[in-house]
Amino acid sequence: MTEKEILSLTAVGLGKKIKSKEVTVLEAVKAVLGQIRSMEPDLNSFVTVDEAFALSQAEAVQKKIDAGELTGPLAGVPVAIKDNICIKDMRTTCSSNILSDFVPTYTAQAVENLIEAGAIIIGKTNMDEFAMGSTTETSAFGPTKNPWNLEYVPGGSSGGSCTAVASGECFYALGSDTGGSIRQPASYCGVTGLKPTYGTISRYGLIAYGSSLDQIGPVAKDVTDCAAILEVLASHDKKDSTSVDRKDNHFMEALTEDVKGLRVGIPADYLGEGLNEEVKEAVLKAAKILEEKGAVVETFDLGRVKYAIPAYYVIASAEASSNLSRFDGVKYGYRAKEYEGLHGMYKKSRSEGFGAEVKRRIMLGSFVLSSGYYDAYYIKALKTKALIKKSFDEAFAKYDVILGPTAPTTAPKLNESLSDSLKMYLGDIYTISVNLAGLPGLSIPFGTDHKGLPIGLQLIGDCFQEKSILRAGYALEGEHGYTMPELALKAINGREEK
């Protein structure tokens, strides 16, 4: 197979070709490394690429596949890992100066699961610093750019992972989602992103931002890939006190186009003010397709979801101020060169090590947790979180799936949102409530706007009902689905011509 044919495959598609000996693991690894070399000067998707490690893994995994020891659908398939998920002996920075030379001594459980399944780790992807941002512009290593148009952002905070998958620099990637950080960049980059139910995937080895909201999830080219990856990732882990022991992890069973009788609700609140007209048209078109396939579609009032953004930023910032207190220049990470006394070292190390957006959220979190404001803000936000969960519980008593946009618009231009924090925060308006309620959410690509930028649809399910959203997503993706950006195709063609 040519490099172009290899890179056009999905993760599951490549797995099948490797098993049938049409492609070797080494050929697949060399194809993505070639694409990385061509694309990285423009995209900046990766913080670390470990070619030697990838090539040595390829050889070892190929032997295991040939010996019949690895039989899963993802054996031999190259993957990229977001740079806030630890891998032993591989630099893990959270795209922050404070961790610029941090090398973990252990591997995250989610990555262990992938290694056991025969995944080939290519490297670590760029992200918003400590996952705080919606554009991948707050990274200490420079912004990542959208492969559909380099003047636009890829979304965030998992922008590096989504860009890498979209442009063929890997076949799938891991991201983390605290308030939409997998789904929103997946929407902007024209790929599929899944945030599972809270507790489905172990958070052991994920460097925490907001512990009650964070969840690792897959970014891939289609729904089939996401289902296959989720089967590998979902496992009970005693090292994570929030990990759930789920009995039914056979997510690929849900991949059927039969949506007859599926009850789909569209929140009227999601179709109102602030929603781009082309994104709205895509949602209504998807609703019509589901209806034609036998689903029952209705609009309804979700109510309290309008309070999601203030509640989220109070809770997430409070948890961040606590979680990030460990980066103090003492135990590991960056330490200021010159300082006076212990407090001087803390102050200078943190001031020099953290970027502006991280400092903003630490200060906001410290403020809402302070004695005079704890009840007025933090406790009120927790009560609001409980009410939002109640609104979803009421909705899921009537519907199997909630359909809506992933983001209010397609990708904004670089530097557009960064100068206006509120505008950046509002980019997550449809994704945040899913994290507050601990629900699963799936973003699938559904066409492009007049600028040629991808539009994403979001499907939300009740707790532990990933199969419902995978089923609906699978039925819809045939209409549009993944296409490789022109820029990535040019890079492949350019190498083949040489």
Side-chain angles (χ1 to χ4, degrees), residues 61-79:
V61 167
Q62 185 71 63
K63 281 178 186 167
K64 286 186 177 179
I65 293 169
D66 293 345
E69 291 169 40
L70 284 171
T71 56
L74 299 172
V77 180
V79 58

Side-chain angles (χ1 to χ4, degrees), residues 85-131:
I85 301 170
C86 291
I87 299 175
K88 189 182 178 187
D89 300 332
M90 191 181 284
R91 190 171 71 130
T92 300
T93 70
C94 285
S95 289
S96 176
N97 282 324
I98 211 156
L99 283 178
S100 58
D101 57 0
F102 173 60
V103 178
T105 55
Y106 64 97
T107 297
Q109 187 57 49
V111 179
E112 292 276 20
N113 288 10
L114 289 179
I115 292 167
E116 213 173 294
I120 308 292
I121 294 157
I122 296 294
K124 310 297 292 292
T125 56
N126 202 8
M127 55 184 277
D128 280 299
E129 185 182 3
F130 279 101

